[in-house]
Amino acid sequence: MFDADLAYHARQRPRAPALITPGRRASYAELDAAVNRFANGLLGLGVTPERGVTAVETGSAYHRHVLLAALARLGVATTFPDDPAADLRLSDGPGEPDENILRLTDEWIEAVEASPPLPPRPPARSPEGLARVLRSAGPGAGMRRVPLSWAMLAAEGRRCIVAYAAGRQGTWVLPAVAEPGRTYLQTALAWSLGAALAVDFPLADTPALLEREAPGLLVVTPHQLRSLLTVLPSAFRPIPDLRILVTDAGLPPAVTREARLRLTPDVQVIYHTPETGLAASGPASRLENTPGVAGWPVPGVEIEVVDADGGCVRDGVVGEIRIRSDGTCAGYLGADAAPADGAFLTGDLGRRLSDGSLVIAGRLSERMTIGGVVVMPQLLENAALSHPDVRDAAAFAVPDAAGRMECWMAIAPAEGLTRESLIAHLARSPQLLPEVRFAWTDAVPRDAAGRIEREALRAQVIAALSQPAGA
Amino acid sequence: MFEAAVAFHARVRPRAPALVTPRRRVTYAEFNDDVNRYAAGLLAAGITPQRGIVGVDATLPYRVHVLLMALARLGVASTTLRDGRADLRITDRTGSADPTVLRLGRDWIASVEGAPAVEVPSAPREPEGLARVLLSSGSTGEARRVPLSWRRMEARNLGALAAYASGRLGVWAVRTGVDSSLGYNLATLAWSMGAAVAADHGAADLPVLMERQPTGLLGLTPLQLRELLDNLPAGFELKPRWRVVVTGAVLAPALAREGRQRLSPDMHVIYGATEVAGAAVGPAQRVETTPGAVGWPVPGVTMEVVGPDGQRLPDGETGEIRIRSDSVAERFLDDPEATGEAFRDGFFHSGDVGRRLPDGSFVIEGRADDRMNLGGIKIMPSVLENALIEHPQVRDAAAFAVPGSDGADECWVAVSPDGEVTRESLLQHLRRAGVRLPPIHFAWSESIPRSDMGKIDRQALRAQTLAALRKSEGL
């Protein structure tokens, strides 16, 4: 359990950095003492495992992380911040008291921080007990809650160690909050291994942070990596001891190449779902020849590509990705639909290469059929994003007046982008692309995890089309 | 777990080194290919888990490691070379035919190594099934066989990872060899994590390895540390990016200081036993102020100090150390009597004597059977030894009890002097140790007899002293 590992590192390496936020910096000894103080403080407020699943919603990243570790030390299960089904919420914001919301006032925090750091009594904790609830977009519509036990949390840590985390005892930089679930897993693992965690720094401050702190791991979404490259000072010297972990194989090849040249040659991609944990990983350099390649199944994980009937397809044929592992959750919280017999149908499309590696094509639900031809939006987006004057791009399908699907692209242009140069650029793509209609926009809408909100784009275009011309 | 990780690393980082010997450097891709080739060859030769516990003996250290991994991939339990009770032994040495020995002839090896490398999938196995047999050091007599399941092997890997190995990749060199508890644990952990294993590096090869590789992990006994320091070439610079872990015996304060000053400041002591793997870890500099300090229990390990009736003792009091964790073996193989003695009440009883400090760390004072009872004064030899070793003219020292003419134990100290030293100056030094001193006989010796692990062989010292006493009586 990572809270015990944290206490161990506090003794062995008390002065090693553990938590770095824009406002505060804590060594392992300081963090461990703070975790003890807040655990005692929470106990004083009656927070015990019996109170149920607890969400932490504090403005301060420092306090959010200390509280999450304090809850773990008390054996209390936690969940993501906006989980509507959380039993209890800890908040430092103003508002009315409520039996399901504990408001942590400044006075309370001050008193806790001045209290003696005595370790609380260790809770009776079963490895099978609930540790964390992860958010899943789910294979269908709507949000789902994925339960993770202490044993599964540890098992996920083991998979990550083998795949990318071994030997990384420097600073783990997680810019902003990418994906709350993944952030929690990375936090637990960093503290298990004795690494420093740097969180909540704006992307613009990340280059200076990387230059200042001991190199470790930078965890980013493809979109964040692209944005980071735009704010990277031209004099930034690459840091070969840094490893970049990209949490999605949909990393445009051009971004990969630039990141490997300007940040570090050690860029790795992972493929994961909340329901199964880490499933595959590999070097990002392969993306330059094979877009979407996510690497090989990590030990203990079996990945199959299946057709609509659930039968395995041949290598090279695109189908839906099915994952089997001992890390696959047995079912969602508060839902009847459960992944059957230890296998999870991801809703992702992909294919297996003959060397056993996996190529991710995109979400099954995002597949477009344009004029009878099946196209994945990522194909168009990667082609557009390789244009130097395209800041961001999103492809989606919208029915025309006659009900036929048309392919649209929302383009966030840099200064100087012309329609003609973009069309010429897309025409040079090695793949055959469908005819595209363009919509220029200031910014492509994305969720907190950096995923494109295609439904919103579709609605905007439909609304714009339905307005009478000239109105 | 670990052998599946080798296949993963062979794909993700094929050119990273997996095994380094003084003569050879093998990448993960090459190593995995050879593991597959040998696994297929062994399978064709009828080696399956049904053959029982298999010992491996090969002329080349590289082949030993490949064979061990090939057996793991087939789900076959392996044992150490010294285990005389293995069900089957695999060797590339020539010899007479024997149904319990599988001899790998030159032709067989040539055909296996020349075959195409076809992936041999990991054999399915029960986590509780037997993975590995280790031999306990036998400091209390005959070596015992310690069985470990796949699950316990994984727990040992994770314990080492959390305790001292997490920040290190590079090259891992374990001087005690892959047959030792530490060696097998760290080799399998290195391959889980994608680090390289350095095999067969002697005291003269290690300085070169450390100069060539920017980072790494070095595991050795105090005796091997002494040997390495004696072999450090002139001009060898401190290697702060190498972590050194010292295990197997108590690290003397002067040796800890010298090691930190000449080899690497990043030096840790591991307290453990073959039966439990590493149980406590601490920075070596604490040994300099508190002799015998071994640091804090590894996460997941419960360590307690108990009195003769098994009751837990308060902090500061000396008693026997007992240990519980997921890494602890459950029993000895085919030895119910010893099993019942050492494994009871859910704990492994280490036979080591020590105490817990108020900060939660532990101090080891020695073996329970070494404790001397000298006419009512009970004293651990290490108390006298640690004090004497600080004397500038003492190279090594060992305390032990020998029955006197009246049958009562008397305290003897063998001293290996470094230049001129008088009995008086030694006694003066001992008085500073702050303990009640028994009457002491001194014996001068060229060197103190020690085991491979660096443990003092008190039985030999006792026998030598008794023989000398009888001889002088006879005169």
Side-chain angles (χ1 to χ4, degrees):
Chain A
M1 321 236 169
F2 74 92
D3 54 291
D5 293 340
L6 193 164
Y8 175 83
H9 291 298
R11 288 167 153 175
Q12 293 284 0
R13 311 163 51 239
R15 292 181 55 77
L19 180 59
I20 304 169
T21 65
R24 251 172 129 156
R25 189 183 178 92
S27 67
Y28 265 92
E30 289 161 345
L31 176 67
D32 187 53
V35 170
N36 280 337
R37 291 188 177 104
F38 276 89
N40 293 327
L42 291 174
L43 260 183
L45 295 176
V47 179
T48 61
E50 286 70 44
R51 285 298 298 264
V53 178
T54 302
V56 178
E57 298 167 352
T58 63
S60 142
Y62 171 82
H63 284 125
R64 189 163 63 241
H65 283 79
V66 170
L67 284 165
L68 284 172
L71 289 165
R73 192 157 283 181
L74 295 174
V76 178
T78 59
T79 184
F80 51 93
D82 48 352
D83 182 357
D87 300 308
L88 179 68
R89 282 164 213 286
L90 307 182
S91 166
D92 62 357
E96 291 300 307
D98 179 320
E99 65 175 290
N100 293 325
I101 302 180
L102 266 181
R103 302 224 175 258
L104 309 179
T105 61
D106 290 348
E107 294 76 41
W108 183 84
I109 291 174
E110 221 167 274
V112 163
E113 293 193 331
S115 66
L118 297 175
R121 219 185 147 69
R125 185 161 33 170
S126 148
E128 305 313 321
L130 185 63
R132 177 77 183 179
V133 178
L134 302 181
R135 174 204 196 110
S136 166
M143 179 212 67
R144 295 245 168 78
R145 301 169 79 219
V146 180
L148 206 65
S149 68
W150 298 103
M152 287 165 74
L153 186 62
E156 172 70 0
R158 292 201 284 277
R159 281 190 288 274
C160 296
I161 286 166
V162 170
Y164 62 80
R168 306 273 133 202
Q169 217 172 31
T171 306
W172 291 24
V173 180
L174 315 179
V177 182
E179 199 155 7
R182 202 74 211 159
T183 301
Y184 183 83
L185 299 173
Q186 306 284 14
T187 300
L189 184 56
W191 286 341
S192 276
L193 296 178
L197 188 74
V199 286
D200 246 35
F201 285 86
L203 219 47
D205 292 346
T206 302
L209 185 70
L210 294 175
E211 286 171 328
R212 192 170 60 224
E213 304 294 342
L217 198 65
L218 170 66
V219 186
V220 283
T221 63
H223 184 63
Q224 283 173 334
L225 183 57
R226 200 178 142 81
S227 308
L228 176 61
L229 289 168
T230 63
V231 299
L232 194 70
S234 58
F236 187 90
R237 290 182 57 176
I239 306 172
D241 284 346
L242 172 72
R243 171 171 290 165
I244 297 179
L245 188 73
V246 183
T247 56
D248 186 335
L251 181 66
V255 178
T256 314
R257 200 174 308 121
E258 195 184 343
R260 297 199 331 113
L261 284 174
R262 294 183 61 201
L263 279 163
T264 170
D266 189 355
V267 184
Q268 207 173 320
V269 292
I270 57 170
Y271 170 63
H272 63 101
T273 73
E275 289 84 353
T276 63
L278 181 63
S281 183
S285 55
R286 302 179 75 232
L287 289 167
E288 292 171 26
N289 293 320
T290 315
V293 67
W296 292 271
V298 295
V301 175
E302 202 183 318
I303 299 182
E304 297 163 327
V305 179
V306 297
D307 58 24
D309 302 326
C312 287
V313 301
R314 278 180 295 111
D315 283 357
V317 176
V318 173
E320 190 174 359
I321 294 168
R322 188 164 70 187
I323 299 175
R324 268 176 223 279
S325 81
D326 52 1
T328 301
C329 80
Y332 296 110
L333 283 181
D336 304 330
D341 66 0
F344 175 66
L345 262 182
T346 58
D348 290 320
L349 288 173
R351 64 197 153 91
R352 224 182 85 111
L353 301 181
S354 55
D355 66 1
S357 61
L358 183 71
V359 178
I360 311 292
R363 296 289 297 166
L364 181 59
S365 57
E366 292 175 354
R367 182 161 58 177
M368 308 183 290
T369 306
I370 310 290
V373 180
V374 174
V375 189
M376 294 306 295
Q378 284 79 6
L379 192 65
L380 287 152
E381 287 154 10
N382 284 345
L385 287 171
S386 63
H387 190 292
D389 295 331
V390 171
R391 281 190 295 117
D392 205 357
F396 51 100
V398 176
D400 69 4
R404 280 186 309 258
M405 279 298 177
E406 287 187 309
C407 184
W408 280 77
M409 281 194 92
I411 300 287
E415 225 164 292
L417 178 71
T418 63
R419 192 185 139 84
E420 289 67 33
S421 85
L422 182 58
I423 289 174
H425 184 78
L426 292 179
R428 281 200 295 272
S429 164
Q431 288 97 0
L432 187 65
L433 301 179
E435 201 173 309
V436 176
R437 300 185 66 179
F438 294 105
W440 305 91
T441 174
D442 283 338
V444 170
R446 286 176 180 269
D447 68 8
R451 281 182 294 254
I452 296 168
E453 292 179 327
R454 289 179 222 279
E455 211 42 66
L457 284 166
R458 231 184 316 267
Q460 280 173 23
V461 169
I462 290 172
L465 289 178
S466 61
Q467 280 174 15
Chain B
M1 174 206 183
F2 46 83
E3 38 79 36
V6 170
F8 177 78
H9 294 307
R11 288 165 151 172
V12 174
R13 36 190 78 91
R15 292 186 54 77
L19 193 79
V20 181
T21 72
R23 274 179 299 276
R24 215 171 153 186
R25 179 192 166 91
V26 182
T27 65
Y28 267 93
E30 292 163 344
F31 184 55
N32 190 50
D33 280 352
D34 276 341
V35 169
N36 278 329
R37 290 187 181 107
Y38 272 88
L42 292 177
L43 203 56
I47 306 296
T48 62
Q50 282 70 44
R51 287 300 297 266
I53 300 166
V54 178
V56 168
D57 175 21
T59 47
L60 301 174
Y62 175 67
R63 197 170 291 144
V64 172
H65 287 82
V66 169
L67 280 167
L68 284 175
M69 284 315 260
L71 289 173
R73 192 157 286 179
L74 297 174
V76 177
S78 66
T79 184
T80 66
L81 174 60
R82 291 183 298 127
D83 183 0
R85 285 170 286 179
D87 299 310
L88 178 72
R89 306 225 284 161
I90 300 179
T91 179
D92 61 0
R93 297 175 204 276
T94 50
S96 51
D98 180 333
T100 67
V101 178
L102 175 68
R103 297 201 185 275
L104 310 179
R106 202 178 288 174
D107 297 344
W108 187 90
I109 289 173
S111 83
V112 162
E113 291 186 350
V118 179
E119 192 180 318
V120 175
S122 255
R125 67 201 69 188
E126 286 297 320
E128 300 308 327
L130 185 63
R132 176 78 177 164
V133 175
L134 296 171
L135 291 195
S136 76
S137 65
S139 54
T140 53
E142 194 195 352
R144 300 208 172 90
R145 301 171 87 206
V146 181
L148 294 173
S149 63
W150 299 102
R151 191 173 62 73
R152 272 169 221 276
M153 270 313 307
E154 189 178 351
R156 284 176 175 226
N157 279 181
L158 293 170
L161 183 72
Y164 55 86
S166 63
R168 283 289 169 276
L169 281 183
V171 175
W172 295 15
V174 180
R175 254 317 246 129
T176 48
V178 75
D179 266 1
S180 69
S181 169
L182 181 73
Y184 192 74
N185 191 12
L186 286 189
T188 51
L189 177 59
W191 288 326
S192 294
M193 295 174 41
V197 173
D200 207 31
H201 283 75
D205 304 314
L206 280 175
V208 180
L209 180 75
M210 293 177 81
E211 281 171 338
R212 208 173 281 166
Q213 303 290 341
T215 60
L217 185 75
L218 174 62
L220 29 61
T221 66
L223 205 64
Q224 290 167 337
L225 175 60
R226 178 72 268 156
E227 189 193 8
L228 177 57
L229 289 171
D230 291 341
N231 272 284
L232 278 189
F236 182 87
E237 281 176 23
L238 202 60
K239 297 284 174 286
R241 294 186 69 190
W242 272 74
R243 175 165 298 161
V244 179
V245 294
V246 184
T247 191
V250 174
L251 177 64
L255 186 56
R257 194 175 315 126
E258 190 185 339
R260 297 205 308 119
Q261 284 169 354
R262 294 182 58 206
L263 195 61
S264 169
D266 189 358
M267 184 172 288
H268 296 258
V269 290
I270 307 175
Y271 166 69
T274 306
E275 293 84 349
V276 299
V281 175
Q285 74 252 38
R286 297 182 81 240
V287 171
E288 295 170 27
T289 47
T290 312
V294 294
W296 293 271
V298 169
V301 171
T302 306
M303 222 165 127
E304 294 177 353
V305 179
V306 293
D309 309 324
Q311 82 280 16
R312 282 189 63 182
L313 298 178
D315 285 356
E317 282 189 28
T318 297
E320 191 186 3
I321 304 279
R322 65 177 193 182
I323 298 162
R324 179 167 61 192
S325 83
D326 286 348
S327 304
V328 175
E330 284 176 310
R331 62 192 173 99
F332 295 117
L333 272 185
D334 312 319
D335 195 342
E337 197 184 316
T339 298
E341 236 169 71
F343 300 93
R344 54 196 152 82
D345 313 327
F347 282 88
F348 171 71
H349 291 72
S350 65
D352 291 319
V353 168
R355 59 187 196 275
R356 186 181 185 270
L357 300 181
D359 68 357
S361 69
F362 283 78
V363 176
I364 303 298
E365 296 173 10
R367 298 284 308 164
D369 11 331
D370 289 344
R371 184 173 2 211
M372 303 183 287
N373 188 347
L374 308 158
I377 304 180
K378 286 184 185 159
I379 191 165
M380 292 300 297
S382 60
V383 174
L384 302 178
E385 290 155 4
N386 287 333
L388 282 175
I389 208 87
E390 290 291 290
H391 190 291
Q393 268 83 49
V394 172
R395 207 170 50 223
D396 204 358
F400 53 100
V402 175
S405 48
D406 59 352
D409 272 351
E410 292 177 0
C411 181
W412 281 76
V413 175
V415 173
S416 164
D418 197 1
E420 289 290 309
V421 61
T422 63
R423 198 173 167 278
E424 257 330 291
S425 80
L426 292 178
L427 279 173
Q428 214 169 10
H429 211 82
L430 279 174
R431 280 187 206 110
R432 279 188 237 146
V435 292
R436 197 176 144 208
L437 289 180
I440 296 174
H441 303 278
F442 286 98
W444 311 104
S445 163
E446 270 297 296
S447 68
I448 305 294
R450 288 177 180 271
S451 73
D452 294 349
M453 298 296 274
K455 286 182 179 139
I456 294 170
D457 190 347
R458 290 178 221 281
Q459 204 51 51
L461 283 166
R462 234 185 310 268
Q464 280 172 21
T465 310
L466 279 172
L469 285 175
R470 267 197 293 275
K471 206 169 151 192
S472 65
E473 274 166 19
L475 280 172

